[in-house]
């Protein structure tokens, strides 16, 4: 059963800090565990043997509107198991919206929200979650402030009360806040020692400069140390409101019950937000590469980025297929074949589409030993330019489409996954019929459309990279 086990205060905060430390890596490419899993499985075989192959979603999700406060949610009623999952988001309330003098407040608020309510201490709150098999969590990413709740049908009323209390009457105890500040000090120190963390910071700074997207995802330690209980309450008042709230719900709950719950849990939130506008950044993709000398255990790491597309752009699906062929399909990708399979120069090299709202990107990453780094970099440039000029073959396009179609239903293995998809259907304005239309959108993409996208987005030497490791010996050669 997917619920959170009780943790001590120290282990809980360390988990949140580790989430912060790895956030950029997860956002820009995923961890190596995911990469191994992505490479090794056969989606057609898994799907053919799974009950998920029957998930055709012949019926659309429904939009539920609460009777009193008119709060909206997308719902898929799934009563095969007595589990209910809520995924919700406060759009535009992420890290980029932090006041420039309070950088890190959104992340601290997300952590503090699971540290108790006015009626429950931090330990008592965590005991309630365990006793009733309830999971409640919050996070703040670059653009949005998100939360989730999962519960069994038996204990759903207790879950709704706890979630309401968290959102409307958080404890924000000064003792807990001071403990978190101390843990954050350690997190900042660790960040300076880890090559991947250093690279992520320098990469964001180099791309975005003084734009909020270029900030440290942890915030500023001096700003965090100044935060008081009233600052967190003010943040919630200004950022978490009904007018920027999106909700996806899946599981054993009727529309009538959901309408009531929406009013009860979210109805006391402020009507409107007071979020500072975040401008679009100006990114120069023609600037020279940046190398950072750092003793990284003999490994050089590179991150690179080119202009991407938003989720609703007409080029999204053609570029989605093109990226899969070029660097997104694991060992079968063009990049992996050229740099790993044929040459054995790197253990991993890949690309992916990142969907930051103000700056969607086509990104990539590779690592290699310092003496092999230049050769991998040359292969990357060669394959990038060739793909932009010549595009993909008919066979490559059909193979990519087959994979993307066969693997799609594997995303619906849990109600938690499903509620999150319903949430992002709203965020990206995909419509209630997205689950029925997504695979059709993939099927109708032609090789000509893929190659037009390749020519448009894989421009000759059209990406900027930031790299960390040892580059002196390459210069001497």
């Amino acid at each position: 059963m997917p619920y959170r086990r009780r943790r001590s205060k120290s282990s809980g905060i360390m988990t949140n800090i580790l989430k912060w430390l790895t956030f950029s890596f997860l956002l820009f490419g995923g961890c190596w565990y995911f990469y191994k899993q992505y490479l090794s499985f056969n989606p057609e075989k898994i799907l053919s043997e799974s009950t998920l192959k029957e998930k055709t979603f012949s019926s659309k999700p429904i939009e539920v509107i609460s009777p009193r406060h008119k709060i909206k949610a997308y719902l898929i009623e799934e009563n095969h198991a007595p589990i209910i999952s809520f995924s919700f988001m406060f759009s535009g309330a992420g890290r980029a919206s932090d006041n420039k003098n309070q950088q890190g407040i959104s992340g601290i608020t997300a952590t503090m929200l699971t540290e108790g309510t006015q009626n429950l201490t931090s330990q008592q709150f965590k005991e309630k979650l365990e006793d009733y098999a309830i999971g409640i969590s919050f996070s703040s990413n670059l653009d949005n402030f998100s939360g989730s709740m999962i519960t069994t049908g038996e204990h759903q009323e207790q879950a709704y009360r706890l979630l309401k209390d968290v959102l409307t009457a958080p404890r924000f105890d000064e003792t807990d806040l001071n403990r978190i500040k101390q843990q954050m000090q350690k997190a900042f120190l660790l960040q300076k020692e880890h090559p991947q963390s250093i690279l992520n910071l320098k990469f964001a700074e180099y791309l975005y400069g003084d734009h909020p997207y270029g900030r440290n995802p942890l915030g500023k330690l001096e700003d965090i140390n100044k935060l008081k209980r009233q600052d967190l309450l003010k943040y919630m008042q200004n950022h978490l409101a009904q007018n920027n709230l999106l909700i996806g719900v899946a599981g054993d709950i009727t529309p009538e019950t959901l309408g009531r719950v929406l009013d009860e849990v979210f109805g006391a939130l402020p009507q409107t937000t007071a979020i500072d506008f975040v401008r679009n950044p100006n990114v120069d993709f023609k600037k020279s590469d940046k190398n950072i000398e750092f003793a990284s255990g003999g490994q050089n790491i590179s991150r690179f980025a080119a202009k991407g597309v938003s989720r609703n752009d007409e080029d999204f699906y053609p570029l989605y297929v093109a990226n899969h062929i070029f660097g997104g399909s694991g060992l079968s990708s063009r990049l992996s074949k050229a740099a790993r399979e044929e040459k054995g120069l790197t253990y991993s090299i890949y690309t992916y589409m990142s969907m930051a709202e103000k700056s969607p990107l086509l990104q990539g990453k590779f690592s290699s030993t310092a003496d092999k780094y230049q050769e991998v970099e040359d292969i990357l440039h060669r394959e990038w330019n060739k793909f932009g000029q010549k595009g993909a073959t008919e066979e490559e396009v059909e193979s990519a489409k087959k994979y993307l179609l066969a693997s799609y239903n594997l995303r619906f293995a849990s109600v938690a996954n499903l509620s999150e998809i319903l949430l992002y259907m709203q965020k990206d304005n995909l419509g209630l019929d997205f689950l029925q239309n997504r695979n059709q959108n993939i099927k109708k993409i032609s090789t000509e459309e893929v190659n037009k996208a390749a020519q448009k987005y894989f421009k000759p030497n059209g990406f900027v990279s930031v790299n960390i490791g040892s580059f002196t010996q390459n210069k001497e050669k």
Side-chain angles (χ1 to χ4, degrees), residues 403-414:
Y403 178 96
L404 294 171
L405 292 169
S407 63
Y408 183 61
N409 278 2
L410 298 177
R411 300 181 186 183
F412 303 100
S414 72

Side-chain angles (χ1 to χ4, degrees), residues 233-432:
L233 291 172
K234 184 177 180 180
Y235 169 86
M236 291 189 66
Q237 182 71 24
N238 289 338
H239 289 74
L240 312 186
Q242 293 181 34
N243 74 322
N244 69 330
L245 174 63
L246 303 171
I247 306 171
V249 181
D252 191 13
I253 183 171
T254 65
E256 294 75 21
T257 300
L258 177 57
R260 170 183 62 82
V261 171
L262 294 176
D263 278 330
E264 290 179 0
V265 174
F266 302 102
L269 291 173
Q271 290 289 320
T272 58
T273 62
I275 300 175
D276 292 337
F277 176 75
V278 178
R279 61 182 170 85
N280 291 337
N282 294 315
V283 182
D284 181 5
F285 295 106
K286 296 181 180 180
K287 64 168 59 175
S288 59
D289 295 347
K290 180 180 180 65
N291 291 339
I292 305 164
E293 285 288 337
F294 187 85
S296 54
Q299 285 285 314
N300 286 12
I301 311 171
S302 175
R303 284 190 53 187
F304 52 95
K307 182 181 178 181
V309 297
S310 65
R311 185 62 182 80
N312 280 306
D313 193 286
E314 64 181 3
D315 289 338
F316 174 81
Y317 282 111
L319 184 58
Y320 185 49
V321 176
N323 171 71
H324 183 83
I325 295 167
F326 180 75
S329 56
L331 295 179
S332 63
S333 73
R334 289 247 188 127
L335 272 184
S336 186
K337 286 179 179 178
R340 172 177 166 151
E341 300 304 300
E342 295 176 10
K343 299 285 188 178
L345 300 173
T346 177
Y347 198 62
S348 68
I349 182 168
Y350 54 91
T351 59
Y352 51 94
M353 296 168 68
S354 62
M355 308 305 296
E357 291 177 13
K358 304 290 182 176
S359 181
L361 298 173
L362 178 61
Q363 295 201 56
K365 179 184 173 183
F366 72 84
S367 61
S368 71
T369 56
D371 61 318
K372 302 294 185 183
Y373 170 80
Q374 188 59 55
E375 191 172 356
V376 181
E377 186 181 61
D378 292 342
I379 289 173
L380 169 61
H381 280 273
R382 185 189 71 217
E383 294 297 324
W384 181 283
N385 295 342
K386 183 171 72 173
F387 192 63
Q389 293 167 0
K390 297 184 179 180
T393 66
E394 187 82 29
E395 182 180 0
E396 286 177 317
V397 171
E398 290 306 310
S399 177
K401 288 165 61 175
K402 183 179 180 181
Y403 178 96
L404 294 171
L405 292 169
S407 63
Y408 183 61
N409 278 2
L410 298 177
R411 300 181 186 183
F412 303 100
S414 72
V415 292
N417 290 350
L418 188 52
S419 68
E420 187 173 23
I421 289 173
L422 295 176
L423 172 63
Y424 277 88
M425 285 166 57
Q426 296 168 80
K427 174 187 173 293
D428 296 325
N429 297 311
L430 301 178
L432 280 167

Side-chain angles (χ1 to χ4, degrees), residues 5 22 141 172 214 252 355 374 383 391 436:
R5 301 296 299 175
T22 58
N141 66 21
F172 289 164
D252 191 13
M355 308 305 296
Q374 188 59 55
E383 294 297 324
Q436 290 73 41

Side-chain angles (χ1 to χ4, degrees), residues 72-119:
K72 298 179 181 180
Y74 278 12
L75 167 67
I76 284 187
E77 189 174 355
E78 176 62 71
N79 52 23
H80 288 94
I83 300 174
I84 303 163
S85 175
F86 278 61
S87 296
F88 52 94
M89 172 189 294
F90 297 94
S91 181
R95 292 186 286 107
S97 71
D98 288 358
N99 183 290
K100 66 178 181 179
N101 297 318
Q102 291 185 325
Q103 294 182 36
I105 189 172
S106 58
I108 294 296
T109 302
T111 300
M112 286 293 293
L113 279 174
T114 53
E115 293 292 335
T117 67
Q118 288 183 6
N119 297 322

Side-chain angles (χ1 to χ4, degrees), residues 40-78:
S40 62
F41 80 167
N42 182 329
E44 293 95 335
K45 184 176 185 296
I46 293 174
L47 193 60
S48 67
E49 299 172 353
S50 170
T51 57
L52 290 173
K53 67 184 179 182
E54 305 301 330
K55 287 277 188 181
T56 58
F57 298 103
S58 57
S59 60
K60 296 179 183 178
I62 63 170
E63 183 179 71
V64 176
I65 302 176
S66 68
R68 284 184 296 162
H69 297 282
K70 307 305 178 185
I71 297 170
K72 298 179 181 180
Y74 278 12
L75 167 67
I76 284 187
E77 189 174 355
E78 176 62 71

